Amino acid sequence: MAMKPLPIIVSLTVTKPPSAMYAESPTAFECLYRAHHDWLRHWLCRKLECSERAADLTHDTFLRLLTRQAHVAGETPRALLVTIAKGLVVDHWRRFALEKAYLDAQATLPDTYAPAPEAQHEALQTLEQLIALLEGLKPKVRDAFLLYQLGGLSHAQIAARLQVSRRTTERYVASALLHCYQLRFEND
Amino acid sequence: MTEPTPETPLPKAVVRQAIAWHLRLESATEEEHATLVVRLDAWCERHPDHRLAWQRVSQLNGEFSDMAQRLPDHRTSVPIVQRASRDLDRRKALKLLLAGCAIGGSGLWLTRKHMPWRADYATGTGERRRIVLADGTQVMLNTASALDVAFDDKQRLLVLRAGEVLVDSGADAAALHRRPLRVQCRFGLCEALGTRFNVRDDEHASRLSIEQGRVEMRHGQGRSRIAESGESYRLDASGIHRLERLTLDPTAWARGMLVVTDIRLDAFVAELARYRWGFLACDTAVAGLRLSGVFQLASPQQVLQHLERTLPVTVASRTDWWIRIEPRA
């Protein structure tokens, strides 16, 4: 495998104290990087279908590995890299999906939804947080919760909109709240 | 949401009750409200878990209110989150299942054996790949392309599933009989007669360019024709057409370049868009501008900057992915 230049990431070992493992053996990370960089980039390239973005996320993946306190199990560094990379890929998709939906909405409602750049940035961040929070919920549960929490609709109105019973709407909203509660207070 | 999370999780049933209290309070009328608060208070008194659960649910609700404050228009935000979430669900369902396989196994790169629905060789957007086949034939895949290889006793068949491929036919020295090398594209079949040629599939046409040697083209509807060195042809629903004046060097991509001569800006932008992920388009007001030049495919961003310097256009980008070439104000 060709030797890759390491300038950006390695300089971080100086500015930011890495996890114990790397502090003791400063070359361990370099070895890992050299051994798996190309492989990971290729993996990401397939997932993202974009070589530039893949290069960015490869960089980010190694950066996460370097700065987090986890110990790398000797045999399965690639499994760990993929776990980290997978999270980053989803982050990327989420942002992409949001920007697309946001721009589409802006195009149809230019007057009501064209805030100043700063407010827009804040809105995008908040929406991204919200999407992440509701991830994993069934679409109907998610819709019910959004209409209730953001749309300000009553249970009866949501029931009519989603064509389910009022009782079901209440159950949907409650289960979405439980989901958020667990993410907020029980996730480690 | 950064506060450290404490000790053991509360019983789920208690959390559910706290949520039910919250929802009941929110939909209560003013008269109901007073009595409900008294009953809620009693419930909280009954067990420390109850009180903690209630505090947390209230806190969560407060955090939602804060979030809502940061959104300029709640009603518009709902469909945005809905659409984005659905889009994300779809992507995850499609692609992350594959990632799951990769982790479940030894973490090795997935081979075709595990993914029979995928092409033998494929490239992502902006990617290029050179492959040497068993018979010595060299193929180069361009951006966002997919190719299946089906060799048997009778023929060496390459099936272009998407995109573009440059073929440098090998001698096939190990074979007992002569096996023709063929590339199947959307609108026809191209048989190599000792040659180096390029085949590209677009939605409405296939294009064939011969760099060396000759190729016999067979259109899906039965017509056939021989293409000579240096020639380019277009195969579409109506038949085979010779392309006389090319505005785009058909094989420059294999050297990582985009070489154009007197090409319309909209055609150029469409070409560049193949190598980039996201939305890239051109305003109709500037679509007819023409340009010539040699560009590096590796850096589409620089190409866009170049356009701004040389043409009366401006590159409007609302995000990294959404770019539009517009007339300069």
Side-chain angles (χ1 to χ4, degrees):
Chain A
M1 183 167 290
M3 296 287 253
K4 282 278 159 189
L6 297 163
I8 309 162
I9 289 181
V10 164
S11 66
L12 262 161
T13 57
V14 183
T15 54
K16 207 163 192 172
S19 68
M21 175 192 168
Y22 299 123
E24 284 156 26
S25 54
T27 58
F29 180 77
E30 291 181 29
C31 292
L32 201 70
Y33 184 92
R34 290 215 167 93
H36 306 297
H37 175 277
D38 286 4
W39 172 84
L40 182 66
R41 200 166 58 86
H42 192 63
W43 188 89
L44 280 164
C45 210
R46 287 250 178 161
K47 288 277 160 275
L48 297 165
E49 295 178 345
C50 171
S51 57
E52 276 177 50
R53 198 66 49 187
D56 287 351
L57 289 200
T58 306
H59 177 261
D60 289 352
T61 304
F62 279 103
L63 196 63
R64 288 275 171 101
L65 188 67
L66 187 65
T67 50
R68 82 189 222 169
Q69 296 298 311
H71 195 89
V72 182
E75 330 80 74
T76 58
R78 284 192 176 181
L80 180 61
L81 285 171
V82 164
T83 306
I84 299 173
K86 234 172 89 172
L88 293 174
V89 166
V90 174
D91 286 350
H92 167 77
W93 283 341
R94 187 186 305 117
R95 213 163 300 145
F96 183 71
L98 170 61
E99 290 199 13
K100 227 168 97 219
Y102 188 84
L103 288 173
D104 285 351
Q106 260 196 342
T108 53
L109 298 160
D111 297 332
T112 56
Y113 216 77
E118 212 168 290
Q120 182 164 320
H121 179 71
E122 196 176 44
L124 277 170
Q125 272 191 328
T126 306
L127 290 170
E128 191 177 338
Q129 214 180 337
L130 199 57
I131 294 167
L133 201 58
L134 302 182
E135 240 159 270
L137 288 178
K138 288 195 184 115
K140 280 212 165 175
V141 174
R142 189 171 60 211
D143 289 352
F145 182 71
L146 282 168
L147 291 171
Y148 179 79
Q149 199 77 39
L150 281 186
L153 267 56
S154 71
H155 288 303
Q157 286 170 313
I158 298 167
R161 181 86 74 95
L162 299 182
Q163 301 196 320
V164 294
S165 72
R166 207 198 121 109
R167 188 80 201 90
T168 306
T169 308
E170 286 174 10
R171 232 186 33 240
Y172 282 168
V173 173
S175 73
L177 271 173
L178 180 64
H179 168 90
C180 296
Y181 174 98
Q182 286 170 332
L183 272 184
R184 173 69 180 87
F185 297 105
E186 292 174 8
N187 224 16
D188 45 10
Chain B
M1 298 198 176
T2 49
E3 209 179 285
T5 52
E7 359 54 74
T8 47
L10 295 171
K12 213 182 209 172
V14 173
V15 178
R16 279 186 199 281
Q17 283 171 33
I19 288 171
W21 274 112
H22 165 70
L23 293 177
R24 221 174 296 160
L25 268 183
E26 289 230 308
S27 58
T29 61
E30 254 178 66
E31 300 142 31
E32 290 169 345
H33 200 270
T35 42
L36 274 178
V37 168
V38 175
R39 285 171 53 202
L40 169 61
D41 213 34
W43 181 77
C44 286
E45 284 301 318
R46 218 171 299 155
H47 197 282
D49 279 357
H50 293 191
R51 184 165 295 283
L52 183 56
W54 174 249
Q55 279 171 2
R56 287 179 176 180
V57 169
S58 304
Q59 187 184 339
L60 191 63
N61 190 53
E63 286 168 358
F64 277 124
S65 303
D66 290 348
M67 268 191 182
Q69 294 266 303
R70 293 196 293 270
L71 298 172
D73 179 343
H74 301 178
R75 304 254 163 159
T76 322
S77 299
V78 174
I80 291 175
V81 174
Q82 284 175 326
R83 283 190 58 176
S85 298
R86 271 198 294 274
D87 192 8
L88 186 60
D89 282 350
R90 197 176 40 78
R91 268 178 198 283
K92 280 164 86 176
L94 274 176
K95 303 229 171 166
L96 234 59
L97 289 176
L98 304 179
C101 300
I103 296 172
S106 57
L108 287 173
W109 183 235
L110 284 176
T111 61
R112 191 186 168 224
K113 206 168 71 189
H114 303 103
M115 304 159 60
W117 62 90
R118 288 193 81 141
D120 290 340
Y121 300 101
T123 50
T125 300
E127 209 185 353
R128 257 195 327 275
R129 198 169 160 198
R130 178 186 293 282
I131 303 138
V132 180
L133 302 174
D135 65 330
T137 293
Q138 289 187 34
V139 298
M140 178 94 126
L141 273 186
N142 200 0
T143 177
S145 301
L147 184 77
D148 275 330
V149 177
F151 285 11
D152 59 26
D153 298 344
K154 303 261 164 35
Q155 64 174 350
R156 295 171 285 162
L157 180 65
L158 303 175
V159 183
L160 184 60
R161 300 277 180 209
E164 184 164 20
V165 63
L166 179 65
V167 181
D168 206 339
S169 68
D172 198 20
L176 295 171
H177 317 286
R178 185 190 162 270
R179 297 185 298 172
L181 176 68
R182 295 176 172 137
V183 178
Q184 192 191 321
C185 54
R186 189 176 300 218
F187 289 91
L189 189 69
C190 307
E191 182 170 328
L193 308 166
T195 183
R196 180 173 155 93
F197 63 104
N198 190 70
V199 185
R200 166 176 175 170
D201 265 359
D202 290 326
E203 201 179 335
H204 304 295
S206 300
R207 261 175 279 177
L208 170 72
S209 298
I210 319 299
E211 210 168 75
Q212 262 171 44
R214 300 193 305 163
V215 169
E216 181 179 355
M217 295 169 284
R218 249 171 281 159
H219 189 265
Q221 293 167 357
R223 272 161 290 181
S224 73
R225 183 165 176 174
I226 304 264
E228 304 282 343
S229 177
E231 293 179 346
S232 287
Y233 288 84
R234 173 189 163 99
L235 288 79
D236 58 25
S238 68
I240 302 174
H241 313 278
R242 172 88 193 271
L243 294 168
E244 295 289 352
R245 230 181 96 257
L246 294 184
T247 52
L248 173 79
D249 182 329
T251 55
W253 64 265
R255 301 184 297 278
M257 288 189 294
L258 187 55
V259 180
V260 295
T261 319
D262 201 28
I263 191 172
R264 275 174 63 98
L265 184 60
D266 53 357
F268 180 78
V269 167
E271 192 61 28
L272 192 63
R274 295 174 64 204
Y275 299 91
R276 245 186 113 262
W277 209 58
F279 177 85
L280 176 63
C282 167
D283 193 298
T284 46
V286 291
L289 293 174
R290 289 183 177 270
L291 72 149
S292 301
V294 177
F295 304 93
Q296 295 287 337
L297 286 177
S299 45
Q301 215 53 43
Q302 278 179 22
V303 180
L304 291 173
Q305 285 164 10
H306 175 86
L307 288 184
E308 271 191 326
R309 286 196 301 272
T310 54
L311 294 172
V313 297
T314 172
V315 175
S317 60
R318 293 163 93 169
T319 74
D320 278 359
W321 297 292
W322 195 99
I323 292 179
R324 201 177 157 83
I325 316 287
E326 293 171 350
R328 197 180 296 156

